[in-house]
Amino acid sequence: DFDTGETLIGVNVFDSHHQKGSSSNNFGYYSYTTSSGKVELIFSYIGYEPMVFSSIVEKDSTLNVMLRPAHLAEVVVEGSREEVLQERTQMGAVNIPLRQIREMPALFGEVDVLKVLQLLPGVQSGSEGTSGLYVRGGGPDQNLILLDGVPVYNASHLFGFFSVFNADAIKNVELIKGGFPARYGGRLSSVLDISMKDGNMKEFHGEGSIGLIASKLTLEGPIVKDKTSFIVSGRRSYLNLLQLPFINMPGSEGGSTGYYFFDVNAKVNHIINENNRLYLSFYGGEDKGHSTSSNVYTHEDKSTEIEEGTHIGWGNMISALRWNHIFNKKLFANFSGTYTKYHFNLFNELERINKENGEVVDEYFYHADYRSGIRDYALKADFDYIPSSTHYIKFGASHIFHRFSPGVYTTLEKDQEINRPSLSINDSQEYAFYVEDDINLNQKIKINLGLHYSGFIVDDQHYKSLQPRIAARYLLDNNSSIKASYATMTQFVHLLTNAGLGMPTDLWVPATANIGPQESWQTSIGYYKSLPGGLEMSVEGYYKEMDGLLEYK
């Protein structure tokens, strides 16, 4: 980005002279191979003015491109060449420009990424107003939600009415509903890949907003100009403040009620040199609520004092350290170490004192504490290898150490403490290897072949899964195509839920020796066409089977 220095994801690079091209990956890197001679490269991206580069190529070259944001009121672009809908092999994928997300109607003034995705075909919202995603018949736990490549286990604030994603800190949103590339695994129904902004490399910049229930502030800028940047974005609700006029009213019983949520996104981006780059990203968010009451009941010379209280809290924390490295002109690598944590706790207490003639005659109290959560420690290596303009190969490996704490329930009644661990803590390990190749056979036929192999080790049980993936595209003419895909998926974690809402009381548990993983396969076919005026039309049909699902009796 010419104005900010942000890397741009999925920029189309097309050589109009040789009728071939490439695209930039999630970190803005691209590679294009051609024979020596004249090239005319057209760089195009939605919302930006295309740039044309013409040259006589005689040796390997590095070309860093800065695209200017398009000001549509002043600039009219005609004849720009992009890899349009009908030419991609990927099926069931939607990339939503952030500008479009910000322009959507907002609930209480809060722009919500998940609310926008719920408007897409094949996606349902569940209960009215909530932010859960039900994609092609799958449940919310079957969506792989990634924030800067790190899984997010609970994406909801306010019991599902808002998502944890602050639109001011996001630069790219992609939802994949079918035809999953081999690099993704671990869930059955969809992949939601969200990338955070890297921070403005050119100048300091800030923006903020005040909404009906929450306010937010974003600051970004260079630490060292054109070399190191940062971004910090925070959001906090003030529902508890808005409630004050309606609670503790004169004549009411004593007590209070309150709820609020907050989240913070932060990222540092450092360019070591032309071939190396570091990213450090963080997200933390929390929901907190409480309700307390104090009542006194009197009858003649007897009285009863009752104090009750409920405290609830849940939240996510993720962090990631990434290293981008360019080995050569055709091989790019991204190494990352990540940590993610989701926790929930619920505390109830009741104290009752009976008095007669002012003296205590009976006393009773009850305390209950319930906690659950999950932690992941992960290492991952991803490689992009582009040997020629007809092959785009991705391969990599990952390892995750899971620690599940599905639920520990402790009660204290009068003078007796009772510990009831509903489920024991489970440590497990998940690993995966993948390879995929996007192959141009000729001008009409393009195929993406992939293989994803994963395993899960828990107690003495070792589950293994081999998941083939294939997607193909056939161009009928320059403006239309048909596509087909087949994908198998395996999920080693289960979400035990008893409500349609995204409740924090839902429990994440691993596959065990007794309860196996979830599995699915899905096949799709579709027709895609570009229409006059920049419109695109597509229709897809799919068949999907799932097995090994869990549900409460």
Side-chain angles (χ1 to χ4, degrees):
D1 185 302
F2 182 87
D3 292 341
T4 67
E6 282 274 355
T7 57
L8 299 180
I9 299 172
V11 173
N12 294 295
V13 183
F14 181 70
D15 183 355
S16 60
H17 188 75
H18 294 91
Q19 293 293 299
K20 297 177 181 179
S22 184
S23 62
S24 64
N25 66 9
N26 278 8
F27 299 94
Y29 292 95
Y30 71 97
S31 176
Y32 173 65
T33 301
T34 186
S35 56
S36 60
K38 182 180 179 181
V39 297
E40 185 175 71
L41 297 180
I42 302 173
F43 299 88
S44 57
Y45 191 61
I46 294 175
Y48 288 79
E49 298 175 19
M51 191 191 106
V52 179
F53 174 80
S54 299
S55 179
I56 303 296
V57 176
E58 298 178 349
K59 61 180 181 179
D60 286 352
S61 305
T62 298
L63 179 62
N64 294 318
V65 179
M66 308 288 279
L67 295 184
R68 292 178 181 269
H71 302 287
L72 298 182
E74 304 170 11
V75 179
V76 178
V77 179
E78 295 181 355
S80 65
R81 172 57 165 76
E82 299 182 12
E83 186 186 36
V84 288
L85 179 72
Q86 70 271 11
E87 296 187 6
R88 298 191 291 267
T89 53
Q90 178 65 61
M91 292 187 69
V94 182
N95 197 296
I96 303 178
L98 199 63
R99 181 177 58 187
Q100 193 176 88
I101 292 175
R102 291 185 172 187
E103 291 174 353
M104 294 296 292
L107 180 65
F108 295 115
E110 285 299 301
V111 176
D112 198 321
V113 172
L114 296 192
K115 290 287 194 309
V116 177
L117 298 178
Q118 289 172 356
L119 302 175
L120 300 177
V123 180
Q124 298 294 323
S125 62
S127 301
E128 185 68 28
T130 63
S131 61
L133 293 181
Y134 295 78
V135 180
R136 291 186 173 179
D141 62 312
Q142 296 172 353
N143 305 314
L144 178 61
I145 301 177
L146 301 172
L147 180 60
D148 260 10
V150 187
V152 177
Y153 282 95
N154 188 303
S156 298
H157 284 310
L158 192 54
F159 302 98
F161 283 89
F162 300 101
S163 76
V164 300
F165 303 113
N166 184 349
D168 290 350
I170 294 171
K171 74 171 178 178
N172 190 73
V173 177
E174 183 181 32
L175 176 69
I176 303 175
K177 300 175 287 184
F180 305 102
R183 59 188 177 274
Y184 296 113
R187 299 294 189 274
L188 300 190
S189 293
S190 76
V191 178
L192 176 58
D193 198 349
I194 298 176
S195 299
M196 286 172 54
K197 289 180 180 178
D198 297 332
N200 196 314
M201 281 277 187
K202 304 293 184 180
E203 59 184 6
F204 184 81
H205 175 71
E207 61 178 325
S209 65
I210 299 176
L212 291 175
I213 65 168
S215 295
K216 50 191 174 182
L217 176 66
T218 301
L219 301 174
E220 59 178 319
I223 299 174
V224 179
K225 192 172 182 179
D226 294 326
K227 192 172 183 70
T228 307
S229 66
F230 80 94
I231 180 170
V232 177
S233 185
R235 176 174 60 164
R236 191 196 191 280
S237 72
Y238 28 77
L239 282 171
N240 53 332
L241 301 180
L242 297 177
Q243 290 173 267
L244 289 178
F246 306 101
I247 60 178
N248 296 330
M249 300 281 289
S252 67
E253 301 286 356
S256 66
T257 301
Y259 167 85
Y260 71 93
F261 67 80
F262 71 89
D263 44 42
V264 176
N265 295 77
K267 193 170 186 179
V268 176
N269 163 29
H270 176 63
I271 301 174
I272 301 173
N273 53 40
E274 190 177 65
N275 294 328
N276 294 279
R277 194 164 185 157
L278 286 177
Y279 299 87
L280 179 62
S281 53
F282 169 84
Y283 166 82
E286 191 86 17
D287 286 65
K288 289 183 178 293
H290 76 274
S291 176
T292 63
S293 65
S294 178
N295 297 284
V296 179
Y297 304 94
T298 61
H299 178 69
E300 296 180 350
D301 56 352
K302 295 180 181 180
S303 66
T304 301
E305 299 176 6
I306 298 178
E307 290 191 5
E308 295 180 89
T310 299
H311 301 265
I312 188 171
W314 70 93
N316 297 277
M317 185 176 75
I318 70 170
S319 59
L321 177 63
R322 279 186 185 74
W323 169 37
N324 289 172
H325 178 66
I326 301 176
F327 286 96
N328 54 51
K329 301 295 181 185
K330 298 182 179 182
L331 181 61
F332 166 84
N334 177 62
F335 304 97
S336 56
T338 67
Y339 170 78
T340 181
K341 173 186 176 183
Y342 168 68
H343 70 92
F344 166 78
N345 64 279
L346 175 65
F347 180 72
N348 287 298
E349 59 182 343
L350 168 67
E351 295 189 25
R352 185 179 66 231
I353 301 175
N354 293 320
K355 295 181 179 181
E356 190 171 344
N357 296 319
E359 304 234 349
V360 175
V361 295
D362 184 36
E363 199 172 358
Y364 173 82
F365 59 87
Y366 172 82
H367 301 270
D369 191 13
Y370 176 84
R371 299 175 182 272
S372 68
I374 178 174
R375 298 187 186 193
D376 285 354
Y377 305 84
L379 294 173
K380 192 174 183 183
D382 299 287
F383 299 87
D384 289 18
Y385 177 56
I386 313 169
S388 68
S389 59
T390 57
H391 289 271
Y392 196 127
I393 300 171
K394 294 176 180 284
F395 61 95
S398 64
H399 182 274
I400 305 173
F401 175 81
H402 297 285
R403 168 154 285 187
F404 294 86
S405 305
V408 177
Y409 185 51
T410 302
T411 62
L412 179 63
E413 189 170 358
K414 274 210 166 179
D415 55 356
Q416 183 181 11
E417 183 172 352
I418 306 170
N419 288 297
R420 298 188 182 97
S422 56
L423 290 169
S424 60
I425 293 176
N426 292 93
D427 290 342
S428 54
Q429 299 182 64
E430 183 177 351
Y431 61 87
F433 304 91
Y434 73 88
V435 60
E436 64 177 88
D437 188 5
D438 214 37
I439 308 168
N440 266 308
L441 296 180
N442 52 48
Q443 288 292 332
K444 288 185 174 293
I445 302 175
K446 192 175 182 181
I447 298 176
N448 185 290
L449 291 173
L451 199 61
H452 185 98
Y453 178 81
S454 59
F456 193 77
I457 303 171
V458 57
D459 298 328
D460 296 326
Q461 183 68 42
H462 188 179
Y463 291 103
K464 302 172 185 176
S465 175
L466 186 63
Q467 304 157 41
R469 318 274 176 86
I470 182 171
R473 175 224 72 191
Y474 180 78
L475 277 178
L476 300 173
D477 53 46
N478 288 336
N479 296 317
S480 63
S481 69
I482 55 174
K483 302 181 191 179
S485 68
Y486 173 83
T488 59
M489 305 287 278
T490 299
Q491 179 170 331
F492 298 107
V493 295
H494 300 275
L495 181 65
L496 303 182
T497 181
N498 58 3
L501 294 173
M503 295 292 288
T505 51
D506 297 343
L507 300 180
W508 286 97
V509 295
T512 65
N514 297 322
I515 303 296
Q518 306 176 58
E519 297 178 335
S520 76
W521 66 271
Q522 181 181 163
T523 183
S524 306
I525 189 168
Y527 174 74
Y528 308 81
K529 184 174 181 63
S530 288
L531 302 172
L535 298 176
E536 294 179 331
M537 184 273 290
S538 68
V539 57
E540 290 184 19
Y542 70 91
Y543 179 82
K544 177 180 179 182
E545 283 193 3
M546 296 182 286
D547 188 35
L549 311 184
L550 295 186
E551 189 171 354
Y552 281 131
K553 292 180 80 173

